[in-house]
Amino acid sequence: MTIPVVAGVDSSTQACKVELRAREDGRLIASGSAPHPATRPPVSEQDPHDWWRALVTAFAGALAAAPAVRVDAIGIAGQCHGFVPLDASGAVIRAAKLWNDTTAAPDLAALIADIGADRFVETTRSLPTAAFTIAKVAQFRAREPEAFSRMRTMLLPHDYLGFRLTGAYRTDRSDASGTGYFDPVANRYRLDHLERIDPGTDWAAMLPEVLPPEGITGSVSAAAAAELGIRPGIPVSAGAGDQHASALGLGITEGESIFSFGTSGVVVTTTERPLHDPTGTVSGTGNLTGGFLPLVCTLNAAKVTDTFTSLLGTDRETFSALALAAGSGGPVLAAFLDGERTPDRPGSSGLLADLTTATTREHLARAAVEGVVFGLLAGAEGIARLGFPLDGRVYAIGGGSRSAATPQLLADAIGRPVHLVDVAEPVARGAAVQAAAVAQGVTVRELGALWRPEGSRCLDPRAGTGAAERYARYHEVAAVTALDRRA
């Protein structure tokens, strides 16, 4: 018997993952994955053609694991903020600049000085950092003028895959709201910000149409269908930014929060109310149900623990055990190893404080994990200060959450239980929810609630770890990095 399914795609910095889920009830039928080229910040670039090749490979793997399926819709979630410039023929002009490329910091600083930080926050609900697309556009105009003159379309990573599937230039509200030139409250582009970069460019003609949550990018072309091994003509939903899809995939509600430990670190919640953070700490992006997703993102997450695992000459499992066995003393790490996005310190570096002759390998391992955790905890406090109380369930997701140490040290730091859900790929799951909503003709909000995953494992905070004292000390140590000694 053929099973009707939808495909949810997570095109992240590290890999492309495809989940095939039953169209009617969301059961996971099969999955596949393929890696993306490694990046090396502060210069972080990938060839968009590699994303397409990875999608084809991951799709083939999923179909091979479940040959008796019929794909009825596709949803694509992708890494946010990336910049994909295309020429008049739709060809890629240069490698895509990714979110964790911080080389555009000087170009962005000049743009913010011109427009004004307050004006940016007022019109886009976020204060851009070097991660945002607008920084990369300004850099492209200033440093590659000949290539810039050939640009006729500029897309985000998930838009590009939608274009390869359908031939259409379209995006969605969630991903557009992370560009620095889209207002998620008015739901319109801020062409005036782009005109400060180049007043002579027809920016409106270059930008993809922004679709609502139930929007359809287009239908899969015959050529794309042949490469993927599916039938042509099936709908491709509007798509999403990766963290926005993750929130949908987990079905979080107001007051609940997600701490995501992946290539980047992210803490988010969801709300119906727009936000305004004059400090620029919290981004007020759009979510996938028409509301908003208060979000704080840090650049330094998995690579911090990977670096310290290597420095200690151990493996990940042993490293986690060391961190959990550290006791109550020890040093504190401001984990800004390759610069940082939140706080906005692209020229900073990591700072390890309070080393003594009593410092142990266990202390160093815990400092690395807590450096990531504390950075996100500071972000969560920033969200709460804006009047969005995070008093509901706390979830830990991402590759880092599979380490025993990370979610436990998060629970210790916040003094509350942390939930781990049995959802291996929440981003791909959220993309599948959106695709299924399109296929069924229902709202994304409705289906997200119906497909909310059930059951979770809970980690309670441990007593006597000294986490509160180290977190207070973390703020002092992190403040020193404001000097940006590498700038």
Side-chain angles (χ1 to χ4, degrees), residues 470-484:
R470 286 191 303 279
Y471 181 52
R473 176 61 172 148
Y474 167 83
H475 284 290
E476 297 174 348
V477 176
V480 177
T481 67
L483 297 175
D484 269 8

Side-chain angles (χ1 to χ4, degrees), residues 143-353:
R143 306 190 199 183
E144 302 177 47
E146 187 280 327
F148 176 86
S149 70
R150 293 188 284 116
M151 183 172 69
R152 294 296 178 270
T153 304
M154 56 187 197
L155 301 177
L156 302 169
H158 106 258
D159 309 344
Y160 176 77
L161 291 176
F163 162 64
R164 290 295 300 265
L165 285 169
T166 69
Y169 295 136
R170 295 193 172 106
T171 189
D172 92 295
R173 174 175 172 270
S174 73
D175 216 357
S177 61
T179 59
Y181 46 83
F182 181 79
D183 181 345
V185 178
N187 288 317
R188 68 182 181 91
Y189 284 119
R190 297 296 312 204
L191 299 179
D192 50 332
H193 295 343
L194 293 170
E195 287 165 359
R196 296 295 187 100
I197 295 173
D198 190 303
T201 292
D202 184 3
W203 293 104
M206 290 193 180
L207 296 171
E209 178 186 357
V210 181
L211 298 175
E214 289 77 38
I216 297 176
T217 297
S219 300
V220 176
S221 68
E227 285 198 70
L228 292 178
I230 59 176
R231 60 195 174 95
I234 67 173
V236 177
S237 62
D242 51 3
Q243 300 302 330
H244 313 77
S246 178
L248 177 66
L250 294 179
I252 66 166
T253 58
E254 292 203 39
E256 296 182 324
S257 56
I258 298 174
F259 286 75
S260 177
F261 300 93
T263 305
S264 62
V266 179
V267 58
V268 300
T269 188
T270 188
T271 179
E272 295 303 304
R273 295 186 291 120
L275 66 88
H276 183 277
D277 182 8
T279 72
T281 299
V282 183
S283 295
T285 61
N287 66 15
L288 286 186
T289 60
F292 299 88
L293 197 78
L295 178 151
V296 175
C297 179
T298 62
L299 291 182
N300 294 275
K303 61 184 172 183
V304 175
T305 50
D306 285 349
T307 297
F308 274 74
T309 298
S310 177
L311 289 172
L312 291 174
T314 187
D315 57 52
R316 290 179 178 176
E317 185 175 352
T318 304
F319 178 84
S320 180
L322 288 171
L324 288 171
S328 61
V332 172
L333 174 69
F336 309 151
L337 271 59
D338 291 323
E340 190 45 85
R341 165 177 170 167
T342 310
D344 185 16
R345 295 172 192 163
S348 66
S349 54
L351 185 61
L352 184 65

